[in-house]
Amino acid sequence: AQRVTQPEKLLSVFKGAPVELKCNYSYSGSPELFWYVQYSRQRLQLLLRHISRESIKGFTADLNKGETSFHLKKPFAQEEDSAMYYCALIYGNKLVFGAGTILRVKS
Amino acid sequence: GAVVSQHPSWVICKSGTSVKIECRSLDFQATTMFWYRQFPKQSLMLMATSNEGSKATYEQGVEKDKFLINHASLTLSTLTVTSAHPEDSSFYICSARRNWREGETQYFGPGTRLLVL
């Protein structure tokens, strides 16, 4: 069963435009959700986790249990935000990743 | 911050040979390490969970005799691809779990690109 769904393979926006990367999950209990980012030729790194409710590099994500979503948002995209973004869920003590969304920020 | 290293960063080998990939947590102890495989432009697929001092737990469809995992210490796990074939060519990524103030966090290595000729 698909646990984490990222419906968009590619999201292309202009610099300064708002960004929303979608993530929906399937989990019966209280989910522990993350966003990871992978910049070109760099390792995967944690961007944020829902339990800490912090904002990193201007990105925020709110857990919506009613819609089972954990969308990643940023009000004004910057060129350096271009990367691959993965939504992930802890399931059975393992981290399960979505398919990922490539974000391209155009100047 | 926590650092996870992998060695080698890339390797080319002949079909039928075995390749060992090392994963180290440099500044923390990791009781659990994970091995992932990533195909181009695709997500990370968990291959196995490696626990220090015990046998690895493999995901469904992953051949344990093909992908040997050893977690000999709290800072080192190794993945050996035995009798490698071209279809084993991929990007292999390890991660190490660290207990953190607000829960557990996984840190990822830079990955190892394997090309089997």
Side-chain angles (χ1 to χ4, degrees), chain B residues 4 7 15 23-24 28 30 33-34 38 60 68 97 109 114:
Chain B
V4 175
H7 178 80
S15 186
C23 176
R24 292 181 186 272
F28 66 100
M33 290 185 172
F34 303 87
Q38 186 179 33
Q60 193 172 9
L68 298 178
R97 176 178 287 165
L114 171 63

Side-chain angles (χ1 to χ4, degrees), chain B residues 56 58 62-69 80 82:
Chain B
Y58 289 81
V62 178
E63 299 175 60
K64 58 182 68 176
D65 294 330
K66 173 78 170 174
F67 300 99
L68 298 178
I69 291 171
T80 301
T82 62

Side-chain angles (χ1 to χ4, degrees), chain A residues 58-93:
Chain A
F59 284 98
T60 58
D62 291 318
L63 176 61
N64 185 322
K65 290 188 177 181
E67 296 182 357
T68 60
S69 69
F70 188 56
H71 303 327
L72 183 69
K73 299 178 183 179
K74 184 169 182 176
F76 307 104
Q78 298 173 315
E79 288 182 73
E80 53 265 33
D81 296 328
S82 295
M84 172 73 96
Y85 291 80
Y86 293 99
C87 183
L89 164 78
I90 287 190
Y91 178 75
N93 206 36

Side-chain angles (χ1 to χ4, degrees), chain B residues 11-19 81 84-85 89 114-117:
Chain B
V11 57
I12 301 173
C13 70
K14 291 182 179 179
S15 186
T17 60
S18 294
V19 174
V81 183
H85 290 285
S89 298
L114 171 63
L115 177 61
V116 185
L117 302 177

